[in-house]
Amino acid sequence: MAYRLSLLQYLVSVLVLCKHVLTLDFGQSYSAGNSDLLAPRRYTEHDLKRKGLSDHVSFHPEGASEGFYCHYPDLKSKEWEACNDGADSRWCWLRQLQAQEGESRPKGYTVTTNYDNFTPIGIQRHYHMDISKQTIAPDGTPREARLMNGTYPGPTIEACWGDTVIVHVTNNLDDEGSVIHWHGLRQFYNNDQDGVALTQCPIARGSTWTYNFTMLQYGTTWYHSHYILQYADGVLGPVVVHGPASAPYDVSLPSPHFMSDWVYRKAEEEFENEKDPVVRGSKADNILVNGIGRSKEAVAAYNGEDIQSLYPITEILPGQRVRLRLINGAAGTSFIFSIDGHALEIIANDLVPVEPQIVDSLLVAVGQRYDIIIHGLDNPSPSGNYWIRTHPADGCNTFRNGLFNSTDSTNEDPLDPRTGILHYGHSSATYLSLPDTTANTISDFSCARVSEQSSLRPVVPWSISTTPLNNLTLSTFYPSHQTEDDVPYGNYTHWLLRLDPLVEKQGGVSFHNPLFANFSTPSLLDFTNIGQGENDNVIRLPYSSHPTDFIHMVIDGSLLPSTNQTDLDPDVIPLLAHPMHWHGSDVVLLAQSEQPFDPATSMDTWNYENPPRRDTIMAPAGGYVAVAFKPDNPGVWLVHCHIAWHASAGLALQMVIDDGQGMVEKMLAGERMKRLEGGCEEWKADLGKVVDYKKEESGV
């Protein structure tokens, strides 16, 4: 079997310049033991002319931003051509008529191409972003936000499968650092580009940091700050990577459907509620879609004009199949998404193409993404207007006025889940009337929806080994609060991912502290000392590039098995659902259950044949999730709850994936390490001028 040789992927960075800038060719077939592949391949101008690569094929992905094109090599003999020409051929991306000189490639790039092994040649795309403070009022209530290029959400990073994206981020905040994480992008052999406080020092005030990575995956994702709670203050935005699809559609909408909750206070101030033993949790104030929200007063005052100021409008034609990209960028709310009277066809979850599946609604947990196809009605209503609903999931929302559930809600002044309008016919939505449609009949508003989550089958299948490389007992973690005795970390109840106390005692390990990042000494720059700090929360895993080797992990949100629960404060293991996110890996969902994990019997029910695969998975309240992933991406990778308030309270751990022979340190040797060290020098020089970093917050 041909697969990428992982050993020296870290050398991939900048490629050659010609008439169009090309990335390193990841499309070639790598095989273990081929010493000719131990150096990064760079194209010269002579090579490009000899190969005819100074010409290229361009095509415009349907629905992409105006003027946006994908560019791929096109020899004069037409070796390469785009095959994304028709609505019924979305599965096919590029067709190759013959192999290039001295290279082995698939005959084409389609949705069935194993993107872990092959990626087409793309171009470089540069983006320039700045982070600054600005007062905005997305729902009519003004507050100071932190924004990317002055907008909420920030500008869309748009690229094509195989492109190298170079993002120059300038920190124009007057009193804070920042780092930007590229959610769901594996950063294969590219750990220093992950954009978290474990892999780099924060960007100092007035400084610019450049991220450089190749789009080895395609689909829909997002970027956000991973510096304390900045993303809850507005530092986030969509990422769209054009590629093939598992089902046909007529047009792709240019803007993703970006769902979020919104807090009127500065996030750092709202975090005080997470620490408060009476309030017990941070709260949200409203729901936004694409940065648009509304108050009841604004809706009541609507005069029939300029409805786009109240609701984002999605345009469609009768009978049309329209691709829509869904992103949940909330700080703490998971949503049930639906469109009145319309079927939704799921074609991707996170950055994984899946076999098409028709639903009338779907759960989008915090951090998750979906690509769906809206099936337009042949005969829409005379008004042509239908409500798009973004309903908070039961048990996975906390709003200022109380829980906003589908039934027995405690919310004194419930928000309106009607957050957008699907409109047929008009080219302009300025004079639309409000829809009068009825919501779909939805039987499950829970934030687990186990059967739905477990039914999504990836197009590119994985078969999972039943025998993991690791000890599962030492990789079974419980989201919990600190006990009353654990007071050195701010004298309040932090969150943490802990081992069972009996396992700690028998194994002589300590894993009962919240994770805290050291901004001035990131783990990746102090690799030999990782794990020596009491708040490092490190799990070490063996590196392997063999495609059948897997790590298994369990996140159990039920009880601590060896503890006498009657002796515990009931708040030690609160029965809450947690959307868990893995950096550096796609993980497969071996099991998701609303029952506690039983090491004696649970594994008998696990699915090892092409289970669902994604990067963010909900751990049900009182139940567990079991996942598996390939330990083929060396580095220091974060695993954390994606509820921003929980992550900032320490509900995280760091995975160190290494061969035990210095692989990670060798990966970063030379210019990459010098660059990281230079960033830390800037940060340390500026440290006395930024807001004091508080030990009460994890930094992730």
Side-chain angles (χ1 to χ4, degrees), residues 263-410:
V263 181
Y264 292 156
R265 305 169 68 194
K266 182 181 176 183
E268 185 179 346
E269 297 173 357
E270 184 58 39
F271 186 58
E272 297 298 317
N273 282 332
E274 189 68 36
K275 300 181 292 184
D276 191 302
V278 177
V279 180
R280 305 302 296 172
S282 299
K283 314 298 181 184
D285 294 289
N286 211 341
I287 302 169
L288 304 182
V289 171
N290 295 346
I292 299 175
R294 67 218 56 80
S295 65
K296 289 187 176 181
E297 293 76 16
V299 174
Y302 173 61
N303 60 7
E305 297 185 2
D306 196 21
I307 198 171
Q308 293 184 88
S309 65
L310 292 178
Y311 298 98
I313 309 299
T314 299
E315 297 281 346
I316 191 172
L317 296 175
Q320 198 173 44
R321 298 165 299 180
V322 176
R323 178 176 183 163
L324 178 63
R325 302 170 186 269
L326 306 178
I327 302 170
N328 185 345
T333 306
S334 294
F335 295 108
I336 305 295
F337 175 87
S338 65
I339 303 176
D340 291 0
H342 286 73
L344 312 173
E345 185 174 16
I346 303 172
I347 60 172
N349 61 201
D350 296 352
L351 289 168
V352 179
V354 300
E355 296 174 1
Q357 180 175 323
I358 302 290
V359 298
D360 60 5
S361 65
L362 72 162
L363 166 71
V364 190
V366 178
Q368 289 185 336
R369 295 87 63 212
Y370 283 93
D371 288 49
I372 63 172
I373 297 172
I374 304 169
H375 287 252
L377 304 177
D378 292 329
N379 297 295
S381 67
S383 70
N385 298 325
Y386 295 80
W387 285 117
I388 296 175
R389 299 177 188 262
T390 309
H391 198 295
D394 289 359
C396 283
N397 70 86
T398 53
F399 286 90
R400 191 79 56 203
N401 294 325
L403 293 177
F404 183 16
N405 291 339
S406 58
T407 59
D408 61 22
S409 176
T410 64

Side-chain angles (χ1 to χ4, degrees), residues 527 540-544 631 633-635 655-666:
F527 193 77
R540 296 184 180 275
L541 300 170
Y543 166 85
S544 175
N633 196 6
M655 300 187 302
V656 174
I657 299 178
D658 186 58
D659 65 352
Q661 301 179 32
M663 171 180 276
V664 173
E665 292 171 296
K666 293 174 184 176

